[in-house]
Amino acid sequence: MNKYLKNNEWNIVEEGFDPKNHKASESIFSLGNGHMGQRANFEERYTGKSLQGNYVAGIYYPDKTRVGWWKNGYPEYFAKVLNSPNWIGIDVQINHDYLDLAKCKTENFRRVLNMKEGYLQRSFVAVMANGNKVKVEVIRFLNMAQPETGAIKYSITPLNFNGEISFTPFIDGDVKNEDANYNEKFWNILETETIDFEGYLLSQTKKLDFSVGFGMKCQVEINGEPFTEAPTHIKGPKYVGNIIKLNAKEGDSVVLYKYGAVLSSLNHPASELLKLTKQKLVETAKTGFETLFEAHKNKWSEIWSHSDIQIQGDIEAQQGIRFNIFHLNQTYTGEDERLNIGPKGFTGEKYGGSTYWDTEAYCIPFFISTAPSKVTRNLLIYRYKHLQKAIENAQKLGFTNGAALYPMVTMNGEECHNEWEITFEEIHRNGAIAFAIFNYIRHTGDDNYLAEYGLEVLIGISRFWSQRVNYSEAKKQYVMLGVTGPNEYENNVNNNWYTSTIAKWCMEYTLQCIESIKKQNFTKYSEIVTKTKFNEATEPKKWKDICDKFYFPYDSDQKIFLQQEGYLDKEQVLTSQLDPAQRPINQHWSWDHILRSCFIKQADVLQGIYLFEENYDLETIKRHFDFYESRTVHESSLSPCVHSILAARIGDMPKAYKLYLRTSRLDIDDYNHEVHEGLHITSMAGTWMSIVEGFGGKRVLHGKLHLNPLIPEKWDEYSFKILFKGVDILVTVNKQQVNLTAKNHPATINIYGNDIDLKPDKTENIALRTKIES
């Protein structure tokens, strides 16, 4: 871990500048607004180690695959979310010396991510080589109220001299991705333009022809008075800027306002991007920094009103959950069904910024309960619109008859991941997408989604499972061979318990949905049968036969489901016996060593028990938790939250709390020594799950919301909101009782096994239970 940040309920605070932490801070202090995002790079020049990153949602590049050994079925490219032209840059010179924190001394450095109001603030005193001192204060935000815009307020005060201050606000299109497979630059710059206090750049990707217009407009003030002296223009093939020189006296307040606009061809005609970018900037600058800032803060206030979790008595825990909720909400707003949530969001390049199964397995539970239903619906429609591509992905691997294999990694529905053990074998992602449909409908009551979109997806996925298994004459059962489960530290295994469990459930659920729609909307059912060429005589019969005869490895001595066949053949060593100096093992061991060990990267059997908990009694859950958690190294960001939820379920609150801290502060405290690469955005939803589903005991069973709240020993009180079937429900838990309030509408909730009828806006108080019921 690297605990260099201050604990604060609403802020992430860095005091004192240490270049060794700078790349990590660039990730942690990142900003976004759903349309675009950026790492927390300095506006002024910085010649130290840095990962410059500006990103535009939905704009990507098909970087040619780089593998040593090509295999049939490999995708030709890996999709990369692009490091885009940098519009935030402001070179600053003090008496002709560049302000560069890698070269000058700093005093009183303070960097703050204000999560409540959604902005980044820096302040410091810079001591130049000649002894000149300047005080610098910077505020930056990406506008949540007007997502195509952002603004910077850059303030300088000379502290011990009179002299020249020079600003060069610019847009730089000569950028590259650090993760480019062949060191290629991905952008063509089509046009540049500069005028007084303004600059524009039109860019286009070298493949796929995405176009993005970037613009800047600046205003300068000295002691509150406008500075209007004409700047010098800079215009190059990939760069535009203005040089603004002025004389300042000791104590003068010099402020540069820089407004940015970023418009893409996803939302506007490519031929009009520059014109529209100019129009947007004129409106933005006319509105002014303070008015824009106020609207932005009001938007964040609205977001927090339905997604905040409040914790009293534990500032680390409070900071952790708000950090995770903040980044989730600034990464994805749900306004555009063409967009999804990359594992790093707008904070880095790792994983290409593409869509993974993380969205359905982790993010959807968060958005279902904290945002209007259209947000989750759009995430599901994203997959529906990729159904044909999923069918084509399966065809490339030899599957037929409309079988659908959704990609492990994608931007447009086409598989673009090229590690064979993941591309071809980590097929449990299909199950996550099917479960997300089920999860959405049971939380929202939106049964129309199933007939309109969901059933077609379920049929395609079930067709895949029915072809992916084969009948074993030796076992007289159906088996699933050559797969990789969520635990990626075991590849190419047979009968992975989780994969088989989710496959069986998918087929059973699809059969239920077919019967439901057939009864409720026969016309729509007939349309789906025709569209999918569904064989009513043979396919349901085959799926039912597979489900009835599915093989699951089980050890009768220890009474546990096995990760996969042969798991107990491995040397059984517990994580408590590992040398701490060898962790994380993925940074110290060979892959061969990892694959032969019993150690688990993330929840696998426990993932299945978490999803289908109602099928197992408390003793079974505890037995499996004790066995598998003691062998899990949690080297996936997706792991601790599921373990935390199950630990709370079995009443092991110290373990649940410890794992909650790990998931909530994974990036803030850099548990895995990799935060410099970007944040773990999709797993952040697991932090929310750890509280609401873990400590709060939230479940949905038979169409009803269930709660079984517990409270960690360190906490005095916590509260969260759940949106369930259109009703906002506030849950507050303290050491004595649970308070429940339904906003505006009545609701029925099952708490501790008993139904409680909530009247609108009237709080019901229930005594807190401390003992877990089976």
Side-chain angles (χ1 to χ4, degrees):
M1 290 194 292
N2 183 18
K3 295 175 72 71
Y4 68 94
L5 301 168
K6 304 297 181 183
N7 293 330
N8 186 289
E9 291 184 353
W10 274 111
N11 301 310
I12 306 298
V13 182
E14 179 183 9
E15 292 182 344
F17 180 63
D18 185 344
K20 294 195 299 293
N21 295 327
H22 182 56
K23 287 182 73 173
S25 290
E26 287 181 326
S27 299
I28 291 167
F29 291 82
S30 295
L31 293 177
N33 64 7
H35 170 73
M36 60 181 172
Q38 56 196 205
R39 289 171 61 82
N41 309 120
F42 293 156
E43 288 84 1
E44 71 275 1
R45 180 173 296 194
Y46 182 71
T47 55
K49 291 184 178 179
S50 171
L51 174 58
Q52 193 271 325
N54 284 263
Y55 311 100
V56 183
I59 305 299
Y60 69 97
Y61 187 84
D63 195 11
K64 183 172 173 57
T65 293
R66 187 169 188 170
V67 294
W69 182 18
W70 194 269
K71 298 177 178 65
N72 289 336
Y74 264 174
E76 294 184 359
Y77 69 89
F78 189 93
K80 302 286 177 67
V81 170
L82 301 189
N83 180 22
S84 302
N86 172 23
W87 69 266
I88 67 168
I90 306 170
D91 281 342
V92 179
Q93 293 183 70
I94 311 297
N95 283 330
H96 309 291
D97 290 333
Y98 279 104
L99 177 60
D100 181 347
L101 270 62
K103 295 180 178 179
C104 66
K105 295 179 182 179
T106 60
E107 298 173 354
N108 304 320
F109 180 93
R110 182 177 171 88
R111 177 161 32 190
V112 178
L113 180 66
N114 185 310
M115 300 180 290
K116 187 175 185 178
E117 298 181 329
Y119 65 90
L120 174 61
Q121 185 174 25
R122 274 190 307 141
S123 60
F124 58 90
V125 172
V127 184
M128 309 300 289
N130 61 6
N132 289 341
K133 283 188 176 185
V134 290
K135 181 181 179 181
V136 178
E137 295 179 329
V138 190
I139 293 176
R140 179 164 99 218
F141 66 94
L142 296 183
N143 200 336
M144 289 293 282
Q146 297 183 33
E148 293 177 321
T149 64
I152 301 166
K153 180 181 180 181
Y154 200 101
S155 306
I156 290 184
T157 300
L159 296 181
N160 63 353
F161 69 95
N162 303 330
E164 183 183 87
I165 294 177
S166 171
F167 293 113
T168 305
F170 64 84
I171 304 174
D172 183 9
D174 190 17
V175 296
K176 63 180 181 180
N177 272 50
E178 189 177 77
D179 68 346
N181 285 343
Y182 296 92
N183 295 317
E184 179 187 6
K185 292 182 178 179
F186 299 144
W187 292 99
N188 287 322
I189 306 304
L190 304 181
E191 191 173 344
T192 59
E193 180 182 350
T194 56
I195 55 180
D196 285 355
F197 299 101
E198 297 179 41
Y200 301 92
L201 183 150
L202 179 62
S203 61
Q204 184 185 61
T205 56
K206 291 183 177 179
K207 296 179 183 177
L208 304 183
D209 295 335
F210 290 115
S211 294
V212 184
F214 294 84
M216 67 171 188
K217 188 174 179 67
C218 303
Q219 298 165 344
V220 180
E221 295 178 353
I222 303 179
N223 298 322
E225 296 297 323
F227 176 83
T228 58
E229 186 176 319
T232 301
H233 300 174
I234 309 174
K235 180 177 179 293
K238 298 183 178 182
Y239 181 100
V240 293
N242 281 195
I243 301 175
I244 305 164
K245 295 181 179 181
L246 50 87
N247 291 312
K249 297 178 182 179
E250 182 178 330
D252 281 349
S253 174
V254 182
V255 180
L256 170 73
Y257 295 98
K258 183 177 183 181
Y259 304 99
V262 180
L263 280 66
S264 84
S265 57
L266 284 180
N267 304 306
H268 304 282
S271 61
E272 298 182 24
L273 280 177
L274 275 187
K275 181 186 75 174
L276 295 173
T277 300
K278 292 177 182 179
Q279 291 176 0
K280 178 69 71 172
L281 275 174
V282 168
E283 297 168 7
T284 300
K286 186 177 180 180
T287 302
F289 185 90
E290 296 302 332
T291 302
L292 292 168
F293 198 19
E294 195 63 27
H296 168 77
K297 290 189 284 188
N298 289 339
K299 187 67 176 178
W300 268 110
S301 178
E302 177 189 333
I303 292 168
W304 283 115
S305 71
H306 54 73
S307 63
D308 189 24
I309 290 180
Q310 298 181 17
I311 299 170
Q312 295 182 17
D314 189 344
I315 195 168
E316 273 198 319
Q318 178 68 88
Q319 183 185 45
I321 185 60
R322 282 183 171 146
F323 177 75
N324 288 265
I325 293 172
F326 173 77
H327 277 288
L328 283 163
N329 279 314
Q330 70 170 0
T331 300
Y332 183 76
T333 61
E335 297 297 326
D336 191 336
E337 66 191 31
R338 297 169 299 177
L339 303 180
N340 209 278
I341 309 162
K344 295 297 182 187
F346 296 124
T347 72
E349 299 173 9
K350 194 174 181 181
Y351 305 121
S354 306
T355 304
Y356 281 62
W357 72 292
D358 308 18
T359 293
E360 285 74 26
Y362 294 85
C363 296
I364 276 180
F366 168 78
F367 286 110
I368 282 175
S369 294
T370 66
S373 60
K374 72 171 186 178
V375 173
T376 303
R377 207 174 201 266
N378 277 345
L379 286 171
L380 296 179
I381 290 173
Y382 174 91
R383 292 294 195 179
Y384 172 78
K385 290 190 171 182
H386 289 173
L387 176 58
Q388 186 55 43
K389 287 286 188 181
I391 292 170
E392 293 170 11
N393 291 335
Q395 288 173 341
K396 292 174 183 177
L397 302 184
F399 295 87
T400 60
N401 190 37
L405 175 59
Y406 277 89
M408 187 65 181
V409 178
T410 194
M411 288 298 294
N412 65 354
E414 186 176 23
E415 178 65 76
C416 63
H417 195 286
N418 50 49
E419 294 178 37
W420 66 270
E421 69 276 9
I422 292 176
T423 305
F424 305 145
E425 295 190 344
E426 204 163 331
I427 52 179
H428 62 83
R429 69 242 194 189
N430 254 10
I433 292 166
F435 191 87
I437 294 170
F438 163 73
N439 211 12
Y440 169 74
I441 292 170
R442 67 174 177 169
H443 277 82
T444 64
D446 183 5
D447 293 320
N448 290 332
Y449 181 83
L450 190 62
E452 192 174 357
Y453 301 108
L455 185 56
E456 290 179 50
V457 173
L458 293 172
I459 289 172
I461 289 174
S462 291
R463 282 171 165 168
F464 172 82
W465 291 127
S466 70
Q467 295 178 40
R468 187 57 173 77
V469 300
N470 63 275
Y471 188 75
S472 166
E473 287 293 342
K475 289 183 170 65
K476 304 300 181 185
Q477 289 178 287
Y478 286 93
V479 295
M480 181 94 69
L481 307 179
V483 302
T484 297
N487 171 34
E488 295 170 336
Y489 284 178
E490 293 171 310
N491 302 149
N492 197 34
V493 301
N494 293 335
N495 299 308
N496 172 263
W497 186 85
Y498 174 74
T499 306
S500 296
T501 296
I502 199 77
K504 179 183 176 184
W505 174 85
C506 282
M507 288 183 281
E508 291 174 336
Y509 178 58
T510 304
L511 290 171
Q512 292 172 17
C513 293
I514 288 170
E515 289 304 311
S516 176
I517 294 178
K518 190 175 183 179
K519 291 177 182 178
Q520 296 175 15
N521 191 341
F522 188 78
T523 300
K524 183 63 178 177
Y525 170 74
S526 298
E527 292 175 3
I528 294 171
V529 168
T530 301
K531 184 176 181 180
T532 62
K533 300 179 181 178
F534 182 67
N535 190 318
E536 297 176 90
T538 62
E539 291 191 82
K541 183 179 179 181
K542 177 67 181 293
W543 298 353
K544 188 175 186 306
D545 185 56
I546 293 170
C547 292
D548 290 344
K549 299 173 184 176
F550 222 127
Y551 171 71
F552 296 92
Y554 182 78
D555 183 75
S556 55
D557 292 334
Q558 301 196 59
K559 297 181 180 180
I560 58 169
F561 308 117
L562 296 181
Q563 284 263 114
Q564 70 274 334
E565 281 191 284
Y567 179 76
L568 290 181
D569 291 338
K570 298 187 175 196
E571 182 184 5
Q572 296 299 307
V573 183
L574 306 185
T575 56
S576 60
Q577 299 170 273
L578 271 173
D579 179 358
Q582 293 295 302
R583 300 185 69 175
I585 62 174
N586 63 21
Q587 296 177 20
H588 293 89
W589 288 10
S590 70
W591 193 239
D592 169 72
H593 191 181
I594 290 173
L595 292 176
R596 287 186 290 105
S597 79
C598 72
F599 294 120
I600 300 167
K601 181 182 180 185
Q602 69 185 74
D604 204 321
V605 169
L606 297 184
Q607 184 88 24
I609 290 176
Y610 157 70
L611 290 181
F612 307 113
E613 179 190 299
E614 64 271 22
N615 297 333
Y616 310 102
D617 60 32
L618 192 61
E619 181 183 348
T620 299
I621 296 171
K622 186 177 188 305
R623 186 166 59 248
H624 283 82
F625 181 87
D626 290 344
F627 182 84
Y628 283 111
E629 204 283 326
S630 62
R631 291 158 173 80
T632 302
V633 290
H634 299 298
E635 289 175 13
S636 165
S637 64
L638 303 175
S639 182
C641 62
V642 170
H643 289 78
S644 178
I645 293 165
L646 291 180
R649 177 67 184 91
I650 64 176
D652 189 347
M653 289 297 282
K655 174 73 75 172
Y657 175 77
K658 180 181 178 180
L659 289 165
Y660 162 76
L661 275 189
R662 182 180 180 117
T663 185
S664 69
R665 300 188 64 86
L666 177 71
D667 291 320
I668 298 174
D669 295 338
D670 200 6
Y671 271 82
N672 289 342
H673 312 296
E674 58 187 14
V675 74
H676 60 279
E677 299 173 331
L679 304 180
H680 296 86
I681 299 296
T682 47
S683 72
M684 287 179 170
T687 300
W688 181 92
M689 291 159 55
S690 296
I691 293 179
V692 177
E693 298 183 8
F695 305 141
K698 175 228 166 201
R699 304 290 189 274
V700 177
L701 300 172
H702 311 297
K704 187 177 294 183
L705 180 64
H706 288 241
L707 295 170
N708 287 281
L710 300 169
I711 188 167
E713 183 178 352
K714 286 191 68 173
W715 297 4
D716 298 326
E717 181 178 292
Y718 68 101
S719 64
F720 56 86
K721 290 183 179 178
I722 299 173
L723 179 63
F724 184 71
K725 295 186 177 179
V727 181
D728 280 311
I729 299 165
L730 174 64
V731 182
T732 303
V733 184
N734 59 38
K735 299 290 190 183
Q736 290 78 40
Q737 63 187 19
V738 181
N739 304 325
L740 303 173
T741 309
K743 183 178 180 182
N744 297 332
H745 301 280
T748 299
I749 296 178
N750 185 287
I751 181 165
Y752 298 130
N754 301 308
D755 284 352
I756 301 291
D757 292 323
L758 301 179
K759 296 179 180 179
D761 302 311
K762 182 179 178 181
T763 300
E764 293 286 341
N765 305 318
I766 298 94
L768 179 74
R769 293 189 184 180
T770 57
K771 184 179 179 181
I772 293 295
E773 302 292 336
S774 61

